[in-house]
Amino acid sequence: MDQKPARVRIVDAAHDLMLSIGLARTTTKEIARAAGCSEAALYKYFSGKEELFVTVLTERLPRLGSRLTDLTAGRGTVEGNLTDIARQAALFYEQTFPMAASLYAEPQLRHRHEQGMRELDTGPHRPIQQLDAYLRAEQDMGRVRADADTYAAASLLLGACAQRAFAYAALPGGTPPQSLDDFAGAVARTLLAGIG
C-alpha cells in the first residue's frame, strides 16, 4: 500500500494533535513524530506551527473562508446566503474552538500565535471583513438597507455562530436547543429583519 505524501501526513497529524490536545500543547516535534518524518521535513513544507494551524483550518475543517470568498452580491437571496454562511460558520467554530481554546490560557503562546497570524496576514477578523464586504455589495444593490451597519451585522452573525460553539459544542454533553439548520436559518432571518 502506498504511503501518503509527507505534506499530507504532516497536516493530518497536526489536525489530529490540535484537536486532541489543543494548539498550545501541540509542538512541531510532536507533529513530525506523529507524521513519521523529521522536524526538518516538516519545515520544508511549513514555516511553523502557526502556518500549520492555518493549513488545518483551510484544508481539514468546514470551508468558511472559501464560502465567504465565493459569495457574490445579487446571486441567490440574501437570506439564503446568510443561512449558508451561518451553517458553515457554526460548523467551523465548533471544530476550531477545542483547538484554539488552550491558547487563551497561556499569554506568551497567545502572543506568539497572534504574531504568526499577523505575519501570515490572516486571523479571526478575516471572516468578518469578508462578510462585511459581501453585505456592503448587497447594500450597493439595494438588497440591504442603505443605513444598515454592515460591519456590525457581519460581527453579529459570526459572533452568534462562535458563541454557539462556545456555549454548547465545546461542553461535554452540551446540546444546542436548535438543530444546526434551524439555528442557521433563525440567525439569518433575525439579522435580515434588522438590515433587510
Side-chain angles (χ1 to χ4, degrees):
M1 177 160 48
D2 289 354
Q3 191 176 31
K4 292 179 183 177
R7 185 187 182 284
V8 173
R9 291 193 327 267
I10 292 166
V11 176
D12 286 347
H15 176 248
D16 292 345
L17 285 166
M18 289 173 185
L19 199 55
S20 63
I21 65 173
L23 183 59
R25 292 180 49 208
T26 299
T27 65
T28 54
K29 184 179 232 168
E30 290 169 329
I31 294 168
R33 182 177 24 238
C37 67
S38 68
E39 204 170 358
L42 181 148
Y43 283 107
K44 176 181 172 190
Y45 298 99
F46 302 98
S47 62
K49 186 166 74 168
E50 287 72 23
E51 185 180 1
L52 257 168
F53 179 60
V54 171
T55 301
V56 166
L57 294 180
T58 58
E59 295 182 14
R60 296 294 187 272
L61 299 181
R63 304 216 182 262
L64 177 59
S66 63
R67 180 62 186 106
L68 285 164
T69 303
D70 292 344
L71 273 177
T72 302
R75 186 182 299 159
T77 65
V78 177
E79 183 179 330
N81 291 335
L82 292 177
T83 298
D84 187 46
I85 291 302
R87 184 182 302 106
Q88 287 298 108
L91 286 170
F92 177 80
Y93 292 127
E94 179 180 311
Q95 293 182 31
T96 58
F97 182 78
M99 289 183 201
S102 60
L103 279 177
Y104 294 94
E106 300 180 39
Q108 288 179 333
L109 283 175
R110 189 178 113 214
H111 178 72
R112 192 180 82 220
H113 177 74
E114 289 168 352
Q115 180 62 35
M117 294 294 100
R118 276 192 293 279
E119 289 170 8
L120 294 168
D121 194 29
T122 191
H125 62 289
R126 284 290 188 215
I128 297 169
Q129 291 172 340
Q130 291 171 313
L131 186 54
D132 175 40
Y134 162 73
L135 289 171
R136 278 186 281 115
E138 291 286 14
Q139 195 174 46
D140 292 343
M141 295 181 78
R143 295 185 356 147
V144 167
R145 267 192 9 235
D147 65 341
D149 183 333
T150 58
Y151 183 81
S155 298
L156 286 167
L157 184 135
L158 293 171
C161 296
Q163 179 60 26
R164 183 177 195 265
F166 176 75
Y168 297 105
L171 298 175
T175 303
Q178 296 172 299
S179 71
L180 177 61
D181 288 338
D182 289 346
F183 167 79
V187 168
R189 281 189 305 279
T190 302
L191 184 66
L192 201 52
I195 67 169

